[in-house]
């Protein structure tokens, strides 16, 4: 079955083709316009999706060596995400499905991130624990079987990627913040200062909180002033990255230990971070667990992961109604 995957939940316009065995194409057009604003501007994002979505789909089909008539099913992100952005992808998916007389299915963006692991590792089989860390979400999920997910923990305030982006803004090193902070942190002193690791008494044992850490970085920068911040920018980046990573690794390993799960997967944009990958491997090795993460292009938002998730449901003859609307705050 040839499935076209469409992803437009935030600022990446993406279309991919999956044939049941491999990804034949995964075209991602990242909207650069937001860099001028230090974050995603929803109105600009949806306008860009409108401009880009059909050329991106065309390019994906060209790369796959296929024509529209070869498409046998369509998968599209219907939430969570920006309302206007989701609406563009969903409307195009519905229109194409109707015109081509093929089924279509709405996919939860976070489930897509989980399936990205399977795209890169066909032998991956549940049960496993996956840490989804992106710009909008930080969730710890127990995958009991494909399609059955138990949420063990989530962020009570900022997402991990959002914390990277906000700290990058404080340090004035550009957007998106993750890659910029990781680069600076490489040459920084991780012992320069100890930023707090949130302990949440009121929340669940695996819940996350990053807004206190961000405030702590802001307070530090304000207390030492502009010149000292410039001198210690690499050290601050390293200590911040260390604090985020420590919490992500601690929660994930504890969850794996307590649920007796031996496989750990990473997903979402923050999973690209090499410091996090190495820290997770290091901790997992000590408790005899295996860690896996997808290649960078599959960690960040892409249509391939949506096509892969959609294939699973479409093969089981599940499909969405044409009444389906975008759900910006879709739960998982
Ligand atoms: O999954 P994604 O592409 O989009 C969302 O669904 O949010 O994740 C984007 C997030 C951004 O916050 C970005 O700063 C972060 O992933 N990110 C990173 C790195 N590369 C991207 N965070 C830490 N280290 C990185 N190397
Ligand atoms: Zn995402």
């Amino acid at each position: 079955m040839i499935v076209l995957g469409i992803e437009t939940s935030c600022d990446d316009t993406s279309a991919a083709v999956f044939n049941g065995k491999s990804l034949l194409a995964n075209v991602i057009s990242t909207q650069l316009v937001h860099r001028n604003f230090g974050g995603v501007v929803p109105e600009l994002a949806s306008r860009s999706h409108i401009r880009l979505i059909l050329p991106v789909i065309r390019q994906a089909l060209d790369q796959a060596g296929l024509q529209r008539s070869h498409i046998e099913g369509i998968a599209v992100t219907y939430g969570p995400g920006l309302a206007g952005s989701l609406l563009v992808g969903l409307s195009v998916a519905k229109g194409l499905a109707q015109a081509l007389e093929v089924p279509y299915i709405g996919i939860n963006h976070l489930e897509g991130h989980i399936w990205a692991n399977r795209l890169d590792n066909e032998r991956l089989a549940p049960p496993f624990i996956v840490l989804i860390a992106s710009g909008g979400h930080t969730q710890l999920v127990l995958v009991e079987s494909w399609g059955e997910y138990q949420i063990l923990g989530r962020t009570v305030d900022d997402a991990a990627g959002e914390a990277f982006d906000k700290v990058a803004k404080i340090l004035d090193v550009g957007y998106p913040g993750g890659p910029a902070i990781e680069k600076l942190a490489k040459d920084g002193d991780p012992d320069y200062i100890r930023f707090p690791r949130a302990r949440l008494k009121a929340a669940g044992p695996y819940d996350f909180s990053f807004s206190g850490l961000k405030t702590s970085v802001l307070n530090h920068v304000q207390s030492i002033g502009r010149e000292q911040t410039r001198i210690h920018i690499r050290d601050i980046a390293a200590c911040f990255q260390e604090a985020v990573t420590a919490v992500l690794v601690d929660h994930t390993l504890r969850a794996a230990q307590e649920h007796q799960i031996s496989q750990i997967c990473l997903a979402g944009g923050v999973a690209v971070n090499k410091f996090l990958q190495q820290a997770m491997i290091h901790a997992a090795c000590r408790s005899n667990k295996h860690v896996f993460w997808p290649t960078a292009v599959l960690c960040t938002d892409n249509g391939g992961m949506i096509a892969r998730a959609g294939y699973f449901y479409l093969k089981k003859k599940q499909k969405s109604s044409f009444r389906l609307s975008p759900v910006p705050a879709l739960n998982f």
Side-chain angles (χ1 to χ4, degrees):
M1 180 184 228
I2 304 278
V3 175
L4 173 73
I6 297 175
E7 158 62 39
T8 62
S9 66
C10 192
D11 60 340
D12 293 302
T13 314
S14 181
V17 181
F18 182 68
N19 68 356
K21 285 205 172 83
S22 51
L23 265 186
L24 304 181
N26 194 13
V27 177
I28 304 163
S29 176
T30 300
Q31 303 171 3
L32 300 178
V33 58
H34 307 286
R35 293 194 177 175
N36 304 328
F37 300 91
V40 178
V41 183
E43 179 61 26
L44 293 180
S46 44
R47 284 191 209 188
S48 300
H49 285 309
I50 291 173
R51 222 166 16 82
L52 291 166
I53 187 67
L54 290 178
V56 162
I57 291 174
R58 208 168 299 129
Q59 201 182 333
L61 287 171
D62 283 351
Q63 273 183 21
L66 299 173
Q67 290 170 355
R68 276 188 198 174
S69 56
H70 291 116
I71 298 171
E72 295 169 275
I74 298 173
V76 59
T77 305
Y78 78 103
L82 300 170
S85 295
L86 290 166
L87 188 61
V88 177
L90 189 56
S91 306
V92 168
K94 285 181 186 174
L96 268 177
Q98 207 142 30
L100 299 171
E101 296 181 355
V102 297
Y104 97 99
I105 183 135
I107 296 294
N108 184 314
H109 179 79
L110 298 175
E111 182 174 7
H113 274 302
I114 295 175
W115 277 99
N117 277 278
R118 177 64 183 258
L119 267 179
D120 249 359
N121 179 5
E122 271 298 317
R123 281 185 302 176
L124 176 67
F128 60 88
I129 283 197
V130 54
L131 169 70
I132 308 174
S134 71
H137 304 273
T138 305
Q139 306 220 350
L140 205 48
V141 182
L142 170 58
V143 181
E144 288 164 301
S145 63
W146 290 113
E148 263 182 70
Y149 308 105
Q150 191 186 330
I151 310 303
L152 303 177
R154 49 167 53 99
T155 182
V156 297
D157 41 54
D158 292 349
E162 191 180 355
F164 272 94
D165 295 335
K166 287 180 174 169
V167 166
K169 210 167 190 173
I170 293 169
L171 298 177
D172 200 17
V173 292
Y175 175 87
I181 297 276
E182 181 174 13
K183 200 163 162 219
L184 285 171
K186 251 187 214 145
D187 305 317
D189 174 7
D191 295 322
Y192 163 73
I193 185 174
R194 186 183 159 87
F195 288 123
R197 282 88 166 126
R199 291 268 174 271
L200 296 168
K201 287 203 183 75
Y206 306 115
D207 283 341
F208 302 93
S209 166
F210 295 109
S211 79
L213 169 59
K214 168 203 67 193
T215 308
S216 177
V217 174
L218 179 64
N219 289 343
H220 179 69
V221 163
Q222 284 174 343
S223 74
I224 63 173
R226 198 179 279 232
E227 185 54 18
Q228 284 298 311
T229 298
R230 196 183 58 75
I231 292 169
H232 288 290
I233 194 162
R234 288 178 171 75
D235 305 331
I236 298 169
C239 294
F240 161 75
Q241 183 175 261
E242 166 93 28
V244 175
T245 301
V247 174
L248 293 176
V249 170
D250 171 77
H251 284 33
T252 309
L253 261 296
R254 229 170 359 94
Q257 202 73 357
E258 280 167 31
H259 289 83
Q260 299 184 335
I261 301 290
S262 63
Q263 303 184 96
I264 292 169
C265 292
L266 307 179
V270 182
V272 173
N273 188 287
K274 292 202 168 49
F275 186 79
L276 169 66
Q277 294 169 351
Q278 292 313 312
M280 195 68 82
I281 284 198
H282 197 71
C285 269
R286 280 197 311 242
S287 26
N288 225 359
K289 310 217 179 284
H290 303 283
V291 184
F292 185 81
W293 60 84
T295 43
V297 75
L298 295 176
C299 283
T300 49
D301 291 351
N302 68 92
M305 66 189 198
I306 303 303
R308 183 63 188 86
Y311 177 84
F312 172 74
Y313 291 107
L314 290 166
K315 268 301 248 193
K316 296 202 294 181
K317 303 268 181 256
Q318 291 186 26
K319 59 180 185 173
S320 294
S321 137
F322 281 102
R323 289 208 199 117
L324 183 69
S325 299
V327 185
L330 183 63
N331 251 327
F332 187 58

